Amino acid sequence: MNTLSRCILLATLGIGGLQSAYAVTDPFGTAGDFNKFILGNVTHSGGDSEGPVAIAGDADLTNYGIADRTPSASVGLVVGGSLTQNGGQTFAGDVYVGGTVNSISTILNGSLHNPSTPIDFAGEASYLQTLSDYWFSLPATGSVNLQSWGGLELTGTDPDLNVFTLTEAQWQGTKQVNLSVPASASVIINVPSSSDTIPGNRGWFGSMFNNNSTNAADWQKVVWNFPALTSFSIQNIGWKGALFAPQASFQYANGNVEGHLIVKE
């Protein structure tokens, strides 16, 4: 079981009918095997994904590197629809395309499977939305304090699982995140927002600290849960922790998500 799963799984098991075989190994199910798991179409140029990528719809990728930090990956890219790929490469793992391969870049350590997809994307989408809604229903266990200058203080003491629920006003006022929990703890941060841009009306969105650390490894057990978010974009920041927004259209410019990215498109 990976580090994200160990304690968050305790909350996941309350979903009853969704206790599938994969839920006991990773709360995100199949999506947990991918750095980026996209439930719709993707058009993207530049940058990279350190781990495998799964895209339910059509993928149009330009100069985009895939799985460049996961040399042992057996699956690098899964596309449910058609693939148009120019430049970049898949560094590790096989490439699966369910639809037409219009163009494809180099696969360094794997093979192309077409037409083929190992993922039931419709089933995964249903599971993930239900999971997001369920986590949002959990009672808060940690304290939330938004300082006048925009510092969001999240404090929890449970060594296993800490749940925070923000108000819309608290989230919109956030310019820096300061999380303080035991090192052993998993964290769910529930956010009610339906549309957001960072930076945007924030003016400036600063660093994200977990026990005074900005190291992405220290955020592996943190999930930002946005069950109702439909539009989200970030610019010039490194987002820390899993960004879980199964209904959101997501865009980023000169930034990256240092954890799982699970969005609609």
Side-chain angles (χ1 to χ4, degrees):
M1 185 179 298
N2 65 35
T3 54
L4 176 64
S5 308
R6 291 172 183 164
C7 297
I8 291 180
L9 180 61
L10 298 175
T12 306
L13 292 178
I15 301 180
L18 289 179
Q19 288 189 49
S20 61
Y22 60 66
V24 299
T25 57
D26 192 296
F28 287 132
T30 300
D33 296 330
F34 295 86
N35 186 190
K36 294 179 173 63
F37 195 87
I38 314 299
L39 297 168
N41 302 319
V42 170
T43 299
H44 188 71
S45 178
D48 72 309
S49 172
E50 295 182 355
V53 174
I55 299 166
D58 298 331
D60 187 344
L61 307 174
T62 303
N63 297 326
Y64 185 64
I66 296 171
D68 62 350
R69 300 285 183 90
T70 51
S72 62
S74 60
V75 176
L77 173 66
V78 179
V79 177
S82 64
L83 173 64
T84 302
Q85 186 181 28
N86 297 295
Q89 55 194 355
T90 300
F91 288 85
D94 291 345
V95 174
Y96 293 82
V97 182
T100 302
V101 179
N102 297 315
S103 59
I104 188 168
S105 299
T106 302
I107 306 172
L108 285 183
N109 186 23
S111 303
L112 171 64
H113 302 265
N114 175 245
S116 177
T117 175
I119 299 175
D120 174 10
F121 282 106
E124 294 301 319
S126 177
Y127 170 78
L128 290 168
Q129 185 60 59
T130 304
L131 177 62
S132 181
D133 292 339
Y134 175 76
W135 279 348
F136 192 74
S137 74
L138 295 175
T141 62
S143 65
V144 178
N145 177 42
L146 179 64
Q147 298 184 2
S148 59
W149 59 271
L152 182 68
E153 307 286 345
L154 304 174
T155 306
T157 59
D158 194 300
D160 294 325
L161 176 65
N162 293 274
V163 179
F164 301 93
T165 300
L166 310 185
T167 66
E168 180 73 15
Q170 287 171 331
W171 177 240
Q172 292 300 326
T174 297
K175 294 183 179 179
Q176 178 173 297
V177 178
N178 299 292
L179 175 65
S180 178
V181 296
S184 60
S186 292
V187 175
I188 297 172
I189 304 172
N190 287 314
V191 186
S193 185
S194 60
S195 180
D196 207 355
T197 301
I198 301 176
N201 58 0
R202 312 298 183 86
W204 178 78
F205 189 94
S207 299
M208 303 171 73
F209 295 93
N210 183 351
N211 293 328
N212 296 317
S213 172
T214 59
N215 191 329
D218 295 322
W219 289 79
Q220 289 183 355
K221 293 183 285 185
V222 179
V223 175
W224 292 86
N225 181 35
F226 296 82
L229 193 67
T230 58
S231 177
F232 194 71
S233 63
I234 61 174
Q235 300 175 40
N236 303 319
I237 67 169
W239 185 271
K240 303 295 194 301
L243 201 167
F244 186 28
Q247 296 191 62
S249 173
F250 177 75
Q251 295 182 341
Y252 61 97
N254 299 318
N256 64 296
V257 177
E258 300 176 3
H260 290 296
L261 172 67
I262 301 175
V263 294
K264 182 178 180 180
E265 57 187 8

